[in-house]
Amino acid sequence: MIEVRDLHKSFGDLKVLRGIDLEVAAGEVVCVIGPSGSGKSTLLRCVNLLEAPTSGTVIVDGAELTDPECDLDAVRRRIGMVFQQFNLFPHLSVLANVTIAQRRVLRRSAAEAQKVARANLERVGLADKIDAYPAQLSGGQQQRVAIARALAMGPSVMLFDEPTSALDPELVGDVLGVMRRLALDGMTMMVVTHEMSFAREVADRVVFMDGGVIVEEGPAAEVIGAPSSERARTFLSRVLDPAAAQVGEVEEA
Amino acid sequence: MATAEGAAPRLTRRRRRQLVLGGEYAIFLVVVIALLGSADWHEIHANFANWSIAKQVFPDIITVGLRNTLIFTITGFTLGLAGGLVLALMRLSSAAPYRWFALTYIEAFRGLPALLIFVFVGTGVPLAFPGTNLPGGVYGQAALSLGLVSAAYMAETIRAGIEAVPRGQMEAARTLGMSQGKAMRSIVVPQALRIVIPPLTNELVLLFKDSSLALFLGITLQERELSKYSSDVASQQGNSTPIIIAAFCYLIITIPLSYLARRLEARQKRGQR
């Protein structure tokens, strides 16, 4: 479903991605983990070409996005994306947030767009917030609306860019719950996350990135439970037990 | 003073502050009284608040003067807003010639006196395009002049508004399959316009005042706006009362508008993100 080959991305002199090869099969859930600055968010943003790769190939659902002739707008309709900062449209109600792209892009009728919106808002448990504005919702609710907004387009792939990193800890569960159900429904998902328990439980495969390359990948139990590389071990011990770190211990480079 | 003692009792801080403040009030009062006392109140009253002359300017000062001022302002503002939006989008375009044109236009028209634009539109346009008459005659010319000037200012305001919309908004719209233009139109520009409503209201106040420059367009009696009308009557009658009435007509519109702009700005700072 997603195929990334020899992907490189530089910002000026800074090489953020240095040769990424990755495949995500239909129905598969892949979690990408790694320290900040490892390039995992950039990788995700390259999959729908929000970030234009310096070189390499990206193919999603049979369409090569890196082909200059590719109609990006058409392919992006089939790739849902959820952002760390939600990026709901603050001037529109919840319902309008979920219907606007259906109306303007898919040219659905108002009645049909609303029907689809209601169904998807129900799916994320927010059918009662239909007339609210984003500013009136909690972070967790906003993120679930953002998920409904993406789902309303009927995507074949969903990309999640640290969807719970901007949330208060007690609101993380609701969003992860929605994502877990989505995974069970068979959605193809690529998730950049720091939620190791989610990755361990939901991911079919976990990819550990560091320094712009994939260091390790495999079943969640292996990569998270028994990582083979030193870098992954150090990172995971920090993430899983932050209190155990010693003062003065050298930051992993 | 209760606790102050010793040979030279020093002033407490509170006492000193009272003295300074008292001094300031005293100076202010003396100046005001001197000015009021030396003015010739009879003359002032006769020249600036002459009741019989005041009665003569009504209702024309409203039905002709204020009416034309409002027409010039509103049509000029509408043209300026449309032009400003187009210029702002050109300024942000990825095609270089658009950017250059917008930048040149904005710099040129912000750097010229509005008066010059009025004279140019009044005399230059009929010469440059012979036989063409702007729709509405003087009304068209005034709207065009004000529109040309205000478009340059509004373009910069709107551009700042567009750039103030977080980048994630455009990204979210693009990931939903909207084209650059569609995302701009349905997501970014509506938010930008909300952001720029207070500064645009201030622009409207400026335009309202600049509409007085229409007197350089060669207007007929019925096309006079507030300033022209009142100064005409004032010089006919040899009395300044019409000027005072015109001033009140301006302030009745500008003060509430400025107040509204401040309110909107304050509300925006409090609410939403």
Side-chain angles (χ1 to χ4, degrees):
Chain A
M1 186 60 82
I2 302 179
E3 194 180 333
V4 174
R5 261 186 272 126
D6 197 26
L7 190 71
H8 291 258
K9 173 67 185 177
S10 308
F11 294 103
D13 287 338
L14 185 67
K15 288 180 178 156
V16 180
L17 297 179
R18 299 185 294 177
I20 301 282
D21 290 282
L22 181 69
E23 270 181 50
V24 180
E28 199 181 17
V29 177
V30 171
C31 282
V32 184
I33 62 172
S36 47
S38 59
K40 54 195 192 304
S41 278
T42 305
L43 169 61
L44 196 75
R45 291 164 60 86
C46 279
V47 171
N48 62 0
L49 242 70
L50 218 46
E51 230 46 273
T54 309
S55 68
T57 316
V58 176
I59 299 169
V60 179
D61 205 6
E64 186 190 333
L65 285 90
T66 37
D67 179 357
E69 299 293 312
C70 173
D71 180 359
L72 278 183
D73 295 333
V75 186
R76 281 187 182 138
R77 279 165 223 170
R78 290 180 273 146
I79 310 175
M81 181 152 188
V82 175
F83 299 87
Q84 185 177 349
Q85 297 296 339
F86 331 135
N87 293 348
L88 289 184
F89 306 133
H91 62 304
L92 300 177
S93 70
V94 164
L95 182 65
N97 261 281
V98 185
T99 53
I100 187 164
Q102 297 186 63
R103 302 272 287 130
R104 302 274 164 90
V105 178
L106 302 179
R107 302 269 163 221
R108 285 181 185 154
S109 70
E112 197 196 348
Q114 288 193 16
K115 206 181 87 188
V116 174
R118 271 173 217 284
N120 281 295
L121 284 167
E122 216 148 283
R123 212 166 159 188
V124 301
L126 287 173
D128 55 329
K129 297 289 183 193
I130 228 159
D131 294 318
Y133 279 81
Q136 299 167 308
L137 302 180
S138 73
Q141 291 171 329
Q142 290 193 46
Q143 191 61 295
R144 285 187 281 154
V145 173
I147 293 174
R149 177 176 70 178
L151 290 176
M153 302 297 283
S156 41
V157 182
M158 285 284 285
L159 309 176
F160 293 85
D161 188 5
E162 302 198 25
T164 57
S165 296
L167 298 179
D168 290 335
E170 78 271 22
L171 303 175
V172 169
D174 289 339
V175 172
L176 292 181
V178 167
M179 290 168 63
R180 184 179 301 120
R181 198 158 347 123
L182 205 53
L184 289 177
D185 289 348
M187 177 62 78
T188 309
M189 292 162 62
M190 188 167 162
V191 186
V192 170
T193 186
H194 291 294
E195 301 292 337
M196 293 308 147
S197 55
F198 175 82
R200 189 161 13 202
E201 183 198 344
V202 179
D204 298 306
R205 198 147 48 90
V206 171
V207 171
F208 173 75
M209 279 181 72
D210 194 16
V213 294
I214 292 176
V215 177
E216 201 170 331
E217 67 173 298
E222 265 174 42
V223 177
I224 296 176
S228 58
S229 70
E230 182 56 40
R231 279 192 282 182
R233 263 201 297 278
T234 316
F235 170 75
L236 282 160
S237 69
R238 287 291 175 74
V239 173
L240 296 174
D241 193 4
Q246 297 295 309
V247 175
E249 211 178 31
V250 186
E251 263 293 297
E252 178 74 359
Chain B
M1 294 294 274
T3 56
E5 48 185 321
R10 289 220 312 258
L11 295 173
T12 63
R13 238 180 344 151
R14 185 202 293 174
R15 184 78 192 126
R16 199 180 322 158
R17 205 182 316 142
Q18 283 170 347
L19 281 177
V20 170
L21 201 62
E24 283 169 1
Y25 279 125
I27 293 172
F28 183 75
L29 267 180
V30 168
V31 172
V32 169
I33 289 171
L35 283 175
L36 292 179
S38 60
D40 184 337
W41 282 101
H42 186 70
E43 271 304 303
I44 290 179
H45 188 265
N47 198 37
F48 289 104
N50 188 317
W51 190 243
S52 68
I53 288 179
K55 273 192 287 194
Q56 288 175 32
V57 301
F58 285 101
D60 279 6
I61 198 163
I62 305 292
T63 56
V64 177
L66 184 58
R67 174 173 168 272
N68 284 331
T69 292
L70 285 174
I71 292 176
F72 295 160
T73 308
I74 290 166
T75 51
F77 185 79
T78 311
L79 274 186
L81 185 60
L85 184 56
V86 170
L87 282 169
L89 292 174
M90 286 171 81
R91 186 94 159 67
L92 296 169
S93 163
S94 47
Y98 284 125
R99 286 202 306 273
W100 296 333
F101 173 83
L103 194 65
T104 312
Y105 180 96
I106 290 165
E107 292 303 328
F109 278 79
R110 287 201 309 178
L112 292 173
L115 170 57
L116 207 62
I117 313 297
F118 274 85
V119 173
F120 177 77
V121 169
T123 61
V125 171
L127 289 179
F129 306 97
T132 57
N133 273 320
L134 284 171
V138 163
Y139 290 100
Q141 291 179 347
L144 180 63
S145 310
L146 287 173
L148 285 174
V149 178
S150 60
Y153 289 94
M154 289 200 239
E156 281 300 88
T157 307
I158 295 171
R159 179 186 60 85
I162 289 175
E163 285 178 346
V165 175
R167 212 165 61 112
Q169 293 292 308
M170 174 58 88
E171 289 184 350
R174 295 306 301 275
T175 56
L176 289 167
M178 291 191 198
S179 65
Q180 173 88 20
K182 202 172 273 182
M184 207 55 165
R185 279 196 302 280
S186 41
I187 302 299
V188 178
V189 167
Q191 291 183 58
L193 287 182
R194 244 158 262 232
I195 294 173
V196 299
I197 282 174
L200 285 189
T201 311
N202 286 324
E203 181 64 29
L204 184 60
V205 171
L206 292 178
L207 267 191
F208 187 65
K209 297 185 292 175
D210 278 351
S211 65
S212 60
L213 294 168
L215 74 93
F216 289 96
L217 290 173
I219 49 182
T220 67
L221 288 181
Q222 283 306 305
E223 291 165 348
R224 288 180 297 181
E225 42 64 64
L226 268 178
S227 294
K228 175 72 171 157
Y229 176 84
S230 59
S231 59
D232 279 1
V233 177
S235 57
Q236 273 164 28
Q237 306 280 348
N239 187 292
S240 303
T241 307
I243 305 285
I244 298 294
I245 298 175
F248 276 108
C249 288
Y250 278 111
L251 293 179
I252 278 176
I253 307 278
T254 54
I255 290 176
L257 268 182
S258 305
Y259 175 76
L260 181 72
R262 273 200 305 275
R263 278 276 304 272
L264 290 170
E265 208 166 341
R267 204 178 70 177
Q268 226 166 46
K269 266 186 197 140
R270 261 183 288 122
Q272 291 190 4
R273 286 175 294 148

